[in-house]
Amino acid sequence: MAVSSGPQTGKGSAEAMCPYRLVLEHVTSRWGVLVLIHLLERPHRFSELRRAVGRMGRPVSEKMLAQTLQTLERDGMVLRDAQPVIPPRVDYSLTALGREAAEQVRTLALWTERRMAEVDSARRAYDEART
Amino acid sequence: MAVSSGPQTGKGSAEAMCPYRLVLEHVTSRWGVLVLIHLLERPHRFSELRRAVGRMGRPVSEKMLAQTLQTLERDGMVLRDAQPVIPPRVDYSLTALGREAAEQVRTLALWTERRMAEVDSARRAYDEART
DNA sequence: CTGTATCCGAGCAGATACTG
DNA sequence: CAGTATCTGCTCGGATACAG
């Protein structure tokens, strides 16, 4: 929606809805999904995550990655560990809550992948029907 | 996060990504989620669906509802039954594929609802930490 | 390296009016 | 009732420059 792309990290246009829908939009957002799935595998540093996410899907801007991580951290899904060293080093990992969310999102993503052939054939049928 | 807005029902800005991500965005889009959940309960007519969706979340415009339904129909999730009567009557229901998707989305929505208290407390902690 | 601040374009999404 | 067409504002999200 808009799963625009989805709702976003900010509060944006979603002032008046069930509060949990907001969380749902956070975890299912364009970058939220990818971040959660990658962190489910193992903790990542900022740039590492940026590269990993870029490998599937398209490249993430620093801005959007930071925004996504902040939102997920605020929602209690992601843990941020900033080590006071130079150069800066920050590791991101999942909380227990985040792991539960990530597993569900991954399940849904895998289901979508498995069913892709059916979706494609449905699309061809639909498109052909109006030619 | 992108948590941003939901991706949406159209194709929009998502030209260059794994194809299944597109389907994921359709079913998790702002209106896609609500439509699927309501249709899981029983088939609905257009206006009926419009009212039902409006009761939770905010009102849907006719345009967005039609767009969402068309996208989900094209993806093979929703069945459209237009009866040639006057006044027009159109019923929407889920296909087998759509039912699977709807169940997963509902599961995720229910999980989010159950965990809302934890999310809220995480948010308060986060917000207070930077005061 | 890990971000933050600002600017700006693209297109999502609502309102409205109209058609079958 | 069930949509389509059009107009428009708003916000998302990328690019860039800069800071700690």
Side-chain angles (χ1 to χ4, degrees), chain A residues 67-83:
Chain A
Q67 211 170 96
T68 300
L69 286 167
Q70 280 170 15
T71 301
L72 291 176
E73 188 196 356
R74 192 174 103 97
D75 284 351
M77 307 276 177
V78 161
L79 219 59
R80 181 177 185 276
D81 174 34
Q83 300 168 46

Side-chain angles (χ1 to χ4, degrees), chain A residues 2-77:
Chain A
V3 161
S4 207
S5 298
Q8 88 295 350
T9 205
K11 45 188 170 5
S13 55
E15 342 52 76
M17 51 163 66
C18 319
Y20 76 88
R21 281 262 18 226
L22 228 30
V23 180
L24 188 58
E25 299 200 347
H26 292 171
V27 306
T28 62
S29 70
R30 176 184 296 184
W31 305 119
V33 170
L34 297 176
V35 165
L36 288 174
I37 289 178
H38 281 293
L39 290 183
L40 193 56
E41 204 172 314
R42 62 179 175 79
H44 283 70
R45 298 181 58 179
F46 187 84
S47 297
E48 201 178 13
L49 203 47
R50 189 154 135 78
R51 280 188 297 272
V53 167
R55 240 169 278 128
M56 39 186 336
R58 57 169 44 184
V60 215
S61 62
E62 291 174 359
K63 176 188 169 184
M64 290 315 299
L65 182 57
Q67 211 170 96
T68 300
L69 286 167
Q70 280 170 15
T71 301
L72 291 176
E73 188 196 356
R74 192 174 103 97
D75 284 351
M77 307 276 177

Side-chain angles (χ1 to χ4, degrees), chain A residues 1-9 13 15 21 26 29-30 58 74-75 100 104 111 115 123 127, chain B residues 1-8 13 15 21 25-26 28-30 58 74-75 100 111 115 123 127:
Chain A
M1 332 222 14
V3 161
S4 207
S5 298
Q8 88 295 350
T9 205
S13 55
E15 342 52 76
R21 281 262 18 226
H26 292 171
S29 70
R30 176 184 296 184
R58 57 169 44 184
R74 192 174 103 97
D75 284 351
E100 286 184 46
Q104 306 221 21
W111 176 85
R115 297 303 195 169
R123 285 179 179 168
D127 292 341
Chain B
M1 55 197 107
V3 169
S4 78
S5 32
Q8 88 297 352
S13 55
E15 348 46 79
R21 281 263 14 229
E25 298 199 349
H26 291 172
T28 61
S29 69
R30 177 183 299 185
R58 57 169 45 185
R74 191 173 105 97
D75 284 352
E100 285 184 47
W111 176 86
R115 297 303 195 168
R123 285 179 179 169
D127 292 341

Side-chain angles (χ1 to χ4, degrees), chain B residues 6-92:
Chain B
Q8 88 297 352
T9 201
K11 47 184 168 2
S13 55
E15 348 46 79
M17 50 163 64
C18 320
Y20 76 86
R21 281 263 14 229
L22 229 30
V23 180
L24 189 59
E25 298 199 349
H26 291 172
V27 305
T28 61
S29 69
R30 177 183 299 185
W31 305 120
V33 171
L34 297 176
V35 164
L36 288 174
I37 289 178
H38 282 292
L39 289 184
L40 195 55
E41 204 173 315
R42 62 180 174 80
H44 283 71
R45 300 180 58 179
F46 187 85
S47 297
E48 201 178 14
L49 202 48
R50 190 154 134 79
R51 280 187 298 271
V53 166
R55 240 169 278 129
M56 38 185 338
R58 57 169 45 185
V60 215
S61 62
E62 292 173 359
K63 175 188 169 185
M64 291 314 299
L65 182 57
Q67 207 169 100
T68 300
L69 285 168
Q70 280 170 15
T71 302
L72 292 177
E73 188 196 354
R74 191 173 105 97
D75 284 352
M77 307 276 177
V78 161
L79 219 58
R80 181 178 184 275
D81 175 33
Q83 300 168 46
V85 298
I86 294 194
R89 175 184 178 112
V90 183
D91 288 87
Y92 291 94

Side-chain angles (χ1 to χ4, degrees), chain A residues 105-118:
Chain A
V105 168
R106 190 184 54 177
T107 299
L108 187 55
L110 291 174
W111 176 85
T112 309
E113 210 171 2
R114 279 205 314 280
R115 297 303 195 169
M116 200 54 207
E118 288 180 56

